Amino acid sequence: MKRRIGSNLKRLLVMSMMTWISSFAYSQFAFNLPDRSNERIHNYSDMGVEVSGKLALCSHSEKGNIILNVYGGRPPYSYKWNTNETTQNRSNLNAGTYTVWITDADGKTLEKSIVIQPPFPLLLNPVEKREASCGSGNDGYAKISVKIGRNDYEADSPPYDVTWSNGLKNVWEASNLAPGVYTVTVGDKYYCETSISFEIKAASEGLTLSETIQNPSCSSEQTGKISLNVSGGQGPYTYKWSHGPTSSSLENLAAGIYQVQVQDTKGCSIQASYQISAPSPLAISESISQPSCEGNADGKIELQIQGGKGPYIYKWNTGSSSPAMTDLTSGVYSVLVTDASGCEVQKQFNLSNSSTLQVEVLEKKPVSCSGQPDGSVMLGIKGANGNISIKWSDGKTGGEKRTDLASGTYTAEISDDSGCLVTVSFTIDQNPTLRAKIETALEVNCAEGSVAGVAWVSIEGGVEPYQINWSSSDNSREISFKESGKLKVEITDALGCKTTAETNVEIPTSTTLGSRIEFGYRKLTISSEPEVRVKEEILFESEIAPEILSWTWEFGDGTSSSEKNPIHIFQKEGTYEVTLTGYDVFGCTAVETNTIQVNAPEEMVVIPNAFSPNGDGLNDTFLPKLKGVSSFTLEVFNTWGEKLFVTESLESTGWDGTYRGQLVPPGNYLYRITYTLSSSGITHSRSGGITLIR
């Protein structure tokens, strides 16, 4: 529905819009309204452009966008906008006119102007409505209309889009409305929308129904019930059921659909429909496998239950309570099935057969040690009805006895003229392959330096007892040997299967008995003092014969080392026995032991009180004599406190009586020395005077 308004109001709105446009930030653009929101321009017969996007603004906070789809001409295309942009598509646009020049690869140019419409009000008139007569009635009415909108001012505009919350589309009025809240949304040609909500009230309270339904428990019963409870409206209430009764409750109902109309004294009514559902009839279907042969317990009955209400209870005449019976012989079987509602169904089954065919394996022989297919089997067959047929799993047919079998598992299917089929499976074994291996060991007497060999044979497979034949004419599992050479043994098992094994053995000509192992030790720090002091690094140097493969040092203080030439520090004074033990390939040992005396460090600090740096080699520098000191600092000052010399090196030669390369005059000077004792780590400081003599 399009709504028209008077010319005076229209003129007033247009003037108001022109005033708003003149104040807009992008007033330099002209607002030319196109005939259509999406039109195709054909300036050239071979090039055109389709324009889409958001070409109208619904509010001042929105931005528009333009999407171009160029066709014809020869790609690629270039773009030049009146705002100096060069992209194909534009976004984040204010209202206004945007012109683009599109140039193809041949230099042909297409000009297109696109308008982004400014916001335009979309206002609705107040809703015209009529309330529903009852809360449960559907006779309410509502009508909406547009007060002002864009579609009414632009020529050839389509109708407004109207959407009701109850599903109605593109209508301005609605009837048959139930009490409740409704919302109607109206959209203009540019998809700008506005909504209005309203409520349809009821002149009186509506009727509501609640029900209690009881369904029949079994398909054939008429035990259904419906009980109604009415609220709302104004009582008393009248009831009218589709099949005649006028009461609020029904009993003894069969399965079916029952409809009722309830009316109060004011004439308000409500209708409802109820379904009484009975379970589908309880029925049994079965899958039966007859016993294959007389006496065979391989028959099977499997039940499938239809209808009723699970779970189901099964009661067989055999006492079983399972839905499937297996391992059955011929005979009559019956079952009673009861569902969760107590409904029952019963059925009987007859299993039969006509053959007493029976098969058994009378004897079988494994494959011999040769590994050839010489295994055999003998079947025993009895009770056949007519002729028998035998089919072997290796493809052979016939024959109750087979003598050409390789090791493996076989199946024979035996059937008679009645169709009875009996299957028997068996395995033809192969005796484990006879294997033998010679293993050896050497017995070494380290004290005597003698070596003797022992050899024994390990046997696998075959069948015991075994016969053992060594090349040395021995017949026991284990033998001794004293010379290098080749050993060979032959094994024969209880079935006569044979195997041989051989190996080369070597008797060493000597052991490390008497092998040389020696060691010495020395200080790592060069010193004129031969004594070993506590916390000094001691290097142990060994001489070890090549036949000795590994060694161990024991330093007598609870520590050890596996290095060939270890460095060790003794932490306490005392006498220590240091032992070097070597091991050869046979486990024999060679031992060397030395005793080391470790003394406590001797500490001494002697400071001379004069020196004469005259180059005669005697007392030419000033340097304290230190012993048992781990670090020190020497400083020399003149009598005014100026520092002339400093050193922290224990290897320093001392002060030579110069300062900055110049000789200082003879006289008195001051020194200060700070040193740390090696034994205790305590630092001391001493100072005093020194006389320089020239």
Side-chain angles (χ1 to χ4, degrees), residues 234-487:
Q234 183 173 338
Y237 310 106
T238 59
Y239 303 85
K240 185 177 180 181
W241 292 89
S242 56
H243 62 301
T246 59
S247 61
S248 62
S249 299
L250 300 179
E251 297 183 353
N252 302 320
L253 299 178
I257 296 176
Y258 299 85
Q259 295 175 333
V260 66
Q261 182 184 52
V262 181
Q263 189 173 22
D264 68 359
T265 56
K266 294 182 64 175
C268 292
S269 64
I270 186 172
Q271 292 182 340
S273 179
Y274 305 101
Q275 182 171 1
I276 296 295
S277 301
S280 56
L282 193 60
I284 299 175
S285 61
E286 68 280 347
S287 174
I288 295 179
S289 297
Q290 299 288 352
S292 60
C293 304
E294 179 65 30
N296 283 7
D298 55 359
K300 181 188 296 185
I301 303 174
E302 292 182 315
L303 302 183
Q304 296 84 38
I305 308 301
Q306 294 84 35
K309 181 180 180 182
Y312 306 104
I313 298 174
Y314 304 85
K315 186 176 181 181
W316 292 85
N317 60 342
T318 61
S320 175
S321 59
S322 170
M325 293 276 286
T326 59
D327 303 327
L328 302 179
T329 60
S330 60
V332 177
Y333 301 89
S334 63
V335 64
L336 176 67
V337 179
T338 305
D339 72 357
S341 300
C343 304
E344 297 179 342
V345 65
Q346 189 171 10
K347 198 167 186 178
Q348 182 173 288
F349 313 94
N350 187 18
L351 302 186
S352 63
N353 53 68
S354 59
S355 177
T356 60
L357 181 64
Q358 297 181 8
V359 181
E360 62 178 329
V361 177
L362 297 180
E363 67 175 50
K364 62 178 180 176
K365 180 181 178 183
V367 173
S368 66
C369 57
S370 64
Q372 298 299 316
D374 55 3
S376 63
V377 67
M378 171 65 76
L379 301 181
I381 304 174
K382 60 182 179 179
N385 186 350
N387 296 319
I388 62 171
S389 173
I390 304 176
K391 183 179 180 181
W392 298 86
S393 57
D394 61 352
K396 300 291 182 66
T397 58
E400 299 176 25
K401 182 177 181 180
R402 294 283 303 275
T403 58
D404 56 349
L405 299 179
S407 61
T409 300
Y410 296 84
T411 299
E413 295 181 348
I414 300 92
S415 59
D416 61 12
D417 287 343
S418 69
C420 178
L421 178 66
V422 176
T423 301
V424 63
S425 295
F426 58 90
T427 299
I428 297 296
D429 297 321
Q430 178 174 340
N431 290 317
T433 303
L434 185 63
R435 296 185 180 90
K437 180 182 179 182
I438 297 175
E439 301 184 63
T440 63
L442 296 176
E443 295 180 349
V444 180
N445 189 324
C446 295
E448 297 179 357
S450 61
V451 181
V454 177
W456 63 95
V457 61
S458 298
I459 305 172
E460 294 181 356
V463 178
E464 295 190 72
Y466 306 111
Q467 291 183 3
I468 302 173
N469 243 339
W470 292 88
S471 54
S472 60
S473 301
D474 293 316
N475 57 8
S476 60
R477 281 262 182 137
E478 181 176 300
I479 64 172
S480 300
F481 61 92
K482 297 183 178 180
E483 297 179 355
S484 301
K486 180 182 292 186
L487 294 178

Side-chain angles (χ1 to χ4, degrees), residues 16-211:
S16 175
M17 288 299 298
M18 292 179 64
T19 301
W20 178 86
I21 292 171
S22 65
S23 64
F24 195 76
Y26 288 87
S27 61
Q28 67 268 30
F29 298 117
F31 293 97
N32 298 321
L33 302 181
D35 292 338
R36 295 179 179 83
S37 61
N38 187 359
E39 63 179 350
R40 178 178 293 183
I41 304 300
H42 295 278
N43 288 5
Y44 298 96
S45 60
D46 60 348
M47 185 165 65
V49 60
E50 292 179 346
V51 180
S52 60
K54 186 171 181 58
L55 303 179
L57 306 182
C58 298
S59 67
H60 295 291
S61 62
E62 283 191 327
K63 299 293 183 180
N65 62 74
I66 300 173
I67 299 174
L68 301 181
N69 180 23
V70 183
Y71 56 89
R74 188 165 68 88
Y77 309 106
S78 61
Y79 304 86
K80 177 71 173 181
W81 294 83
N82 59 340
T83 57
N84 292 326
E85 299 288 338
T86 57
T87 59
Q88 177 178 348
N89 301 319
R90 299 291 305 279
S91 61
N92 199 30
L93 300 177
N94 294 308
T97 300
Y98 297 85
T99 302
V100 62
W101 291 270
I102 305 170
T103 304
D104 71 356
D106 293 328
K108 293 182 179 181
T109 300
L110 170 65
E111 179 181 347
K112 174 64 178 173
S113 294
I114 303 107
V115 176
I116 302 294
Q117 299 290 340
F120 195 95
L122 178 58
L123 304 176
L124 301 180
N125 289 310
V127 179
E128 302 176 32
K129 65 176 182 175
R130 183 177 66 247
E131 312 295 355
S133 59
C134 297
S136 55
N138 295 325
D139 55 356
Y141 169 83
K143 179 180 179 182
I144 65 168
S145 58
V146 175
K147 183 174 183 180
I148 183 172
R150 183 184 272 123
N151 288 20
D152 294 325
Y153 288 91
E154 296 182 7
D156 299 324
S157 294
Y160 291 99
D161 289 327
V162 183
T163 303
W164 293 70
S165 59
N166 63 347
L168 293 176
K169 295 282 291 184
N170 296 327
V171 295
W172 296 97
E173 53 186 315
S175 56
N176 300 325
L177 297 178
V181 176
Y182 297 84
T183 299
V184 183
T185 301
V186 178
D188 66 11
K189 61 188 291 183
Y190 292 111
Y191 308 106
C192 296
E193 296 180 340
T194 186
S195 297
I196 188 170
S197 296
F198 60 91
E199 181 181 7
I200 296 294
K201 299 181 179 180
S204 63
E205 183 182 1
L207 296 174
T208 59
L209 287 178
S210 62
E211 69 282 341

Side-chain angles (χ1 to χ4, degrees), residues 436 467-471 488-492 498-501:
Q467 291 183 3
I468 302 173
N469 243 339
W470 292 88
S471 54
K488 185 175 182 180
V489 66
E490 180 183 74
I491 310 299
T492 305
K498 294 184 178 182
T499 186
T500 60

